[in-house]
Amino acid sequence: MEEIQFRNKIIWFTFFYSLLVIWVHSYNAVLFLGSTRLGYQMDWLERLLGNTASQIAVPGFFLISSYLFFRGFTIEKLLVKWKSRMKSVLVPYVVWNLLYYLGYVVGSRIPYLSEVIGKGKVPFSLSGAWDAVLNYTYNYVFWYLHQLILLILLAPLIYMMMKTWQLGCLFLGGIFAAIYMGGYLPFLNLDALLYYSFGAFAAIHGKQVAEGKWNRGRFYAGAALLAAAIFLYGFDFPGRLKGEMAASAVCFRLLTPTGLWLLAPEGLLIEAKDWMKQNFFLYAAHFAIVRLVNKTGALLLPSVPAIPFLLFLFMPVLCVVLSYQAGRLLRWLLPPLWQVVNGGR
């Protein structure tokens, strides 16, 4: 595909994954209906979407981030890549965590708003700020960026493993075997390492496949990967090892984004609109919007089952609208700050 089509397809997929991530964090049935039978039934319905289909979002982000990092990569470009990611990932990670911390500190001292926040009076201290940055304490969704930063630091090692396809296949197989056997690494999630390494492998050895022009063969390959993902999601691996269910879920979360990429014809994707391009800002801001809307709604709106479910369904639309308008306002009033919180995008 042409470069402009490739970039447009990347925007479409990151926007799609952003919507799925919002659903992952939008559960509200028990919050509205309490610990009742109806509340748990509604919760099950919401989690059917948020805990199954939507869980492909973060693996999809890892795959795209890795592919773009290692696309055309050589070891001589490492410092340039690191410098770029410092601006687009590390600095926004620190700034957003501090902003969330300050938001909780201030909000917890404002009448009524403190009830919505529900954390008591959050202390303001240097140690609290440090904890907020280091452990993403007040912005849980930034676990992804925390993992991504670690993976970017490991880029030279991953590149060495992926440089030849034989060693790359062995490395990927070894990670999957460790997941299957219930292994773990300190600080780094094994499944995140698998997704990121697979993206690197695709960028180094599979560019013709990943960026090839869409045709019937790609459609069939994508459909086959989706079918395999659905089958493996509930597959009972033999041996009954500790990590067998994790391995099944990892297969689903790796194969589904890959299959969807092959299925989607780039020629039919219209040029992405401006409101689809603020995906980093949307990802960073959506958690505050979701929490504020759901908790405020639970306090003020009647406990009618349709209300939390409709809020859940339309939360991505609400988050896109609010974050886009906030982004436009920030771009207009404080362009330098906008560049920071949107990762220079």
Side-chain angles (χ1 to χ4, degrees):
M1 72 184 79
E2 298 177 2
E3 181 68 16
I4 191 171
Q5 290 180 319
F6 172 76
R7 293 292 174 179
N8 189 55
K9 192 171 183 178
I10 289 288
I11 294 171
W12 268 92
F13 268 73
T14 52
F15 178 70
F16 171 64
Y17 293 144
S18 297
L19 300 183
L20 294 184
V21 164
I22 294 169
W23 265 321
V24 172
H25 302 124
S26 296
Y27 310 130
N28 58 15
V30 174
L31 185 65
F32 273 80
L33 304 174
S35 300
T36 63
R37 181 179 179 183
L38 181 58
Y40 285 119
Q41 287 175 338
M42 292 293 295
D43 184 72
W44 175 85
L45 189 59
E46 291 177 354
R47 290 179 184 273
L48 182 64
L49 177 60
N51 259 355
T52 306
S54 295
Q55 291 295 338
I56 69 166
V58 170
F61 281 136
F62 278 125
L63 290 169
I64 289 175
S65 298
S66 177
Y67 189 91
L68 294 177
F69 187 96
F70 289 101
R71 190 179 184 232
F73 181 83
T74 61
I75 202 66
E76 291 77 17
K77 296 180 180 179
L78 178 62
L79 292 181
V80 175
K81 290 280 189 177
W82 271 349
K83 184 179 179 181
S84 171
R85 271 34 178 204
M86 183 178 294
K87 179 180 179 181
S88 63
V89 179
L90 180 59
V91 173
Y93 170 82
V94 173
V95 171
W96 272 106
N97 278 327
L98 287 175
L99 288 174
Y100 267 87
Y101 172 60
L102 291 174
Y104 272 96
V105 168
V106 174
S108 66
R109 288 162 170 78
I110 298 175
Y112 302 111
L113 185 57
S114 61
E115 295 181 29
V116 174
I117 292 174
K119 286 186 176 291
K121 185 176 287 188
V122 177
F124 179 58
S125 64
L126 187 60
S127 60
W130 175 255
D131 180 59
V133 171
L134 191 64
N135 299 311
Y136 43 92
T137 310
Y138 298 94
N139 189 15
Y140 312 125
V141 301
F142 265 27
W143 73 267
Y144 159 71
L145 285 184
H146 184 267
Q147 291 289 300
L148 184 60
I149 290 168
L150 296 178
L151 290 165
I152 290 170
L153 290 175
L154 290 174
L157 174 62
I158 293 172
Y159 179 69
M160 289 174 57
M161 295 294 102
M162 296 297 121
K163 196 171 181 180
T164 62
W165 70 267
Q166 297 94 334
L167 185 57
C169 289
L170 285 174
F171 187 66
L172 291 170
I175 299 171
F176 183 78
I179 293 172
Y180 178 80
M181 292 185 289
Y184 70 95
L185 292 173
F187 307 112
L188 185 63
N189 295 349
L190 275 172
D191 61 329
L193 178 61
L194 178 67
Y195 307 137
Y196 199 80
S197 299
F198 185 85
F201 186 88
I204 297 168
H205 301 291
K207 188 175 180 181
Q208 288 185 336
V209 176
E211 300 183 35
K213 189 174 181 180
W214 188 86
N215 54 32
R216 188 177 297 178
R218 291 170 66 84
F219 175 83
Y220 290 143
L225 286 175
L226 282 183
I230 294 169
F231 171 74
L232 289 171
Y233 183 75
F235 183 72
D236 186 16
F237 280 103
R240 300 192 177 279
L241 297 175
K242 181 181 177 182
E244 64 173 314
M245 291 311 295
S248 300
V250 165
C251 288
F252 174 79
R253 295 171 187 179
L254 176 63
L255 295 179
T256 302
T258 307
L260 289 174
W261 180 268
L262 294 175
L263 272 174
E266 62 278 356
L268 296 182
L269 298 176
I270 62 172
E271 183 180 353
K273 306 300 181 183
D274 189 45
W275 47 269
M276 299 170 63
K277 298 177 182 179
Q278 293 184 187
N279 291 314
F280 185 91
F281 187 77
L282 174 62
Y283 178 81
H286 84 272
F287 189 60
I289 298 172
V290 167
R291 292 290 293 272
L292 185 61
V293 170
N294 276 336
K295 289 203 168 186
T296 304
L299 285 173
L300 301 179
L301 297 176
S303 299
V304 179
I307 292 178
F309 189 65
L310 287 174
L311 270 180
F312 172 81
L313 285 180
F314 289 100
M315 192 67 77
V317 176
L318 186 61
C319 287
V320 169
V321 171
L322 292 177
S323 68
Y324 177 62
Q325 296 304 326
R328 287 182 62 193
L329 184 63
L330 201 55
R331 249 184 310 190
W332 178 55
L333 293 176
L334 296 168
L337 180 59
W338 166 254
Q339 284 294 309
V340 172
V341 296
N342 199 41
R345 294 166 180 82

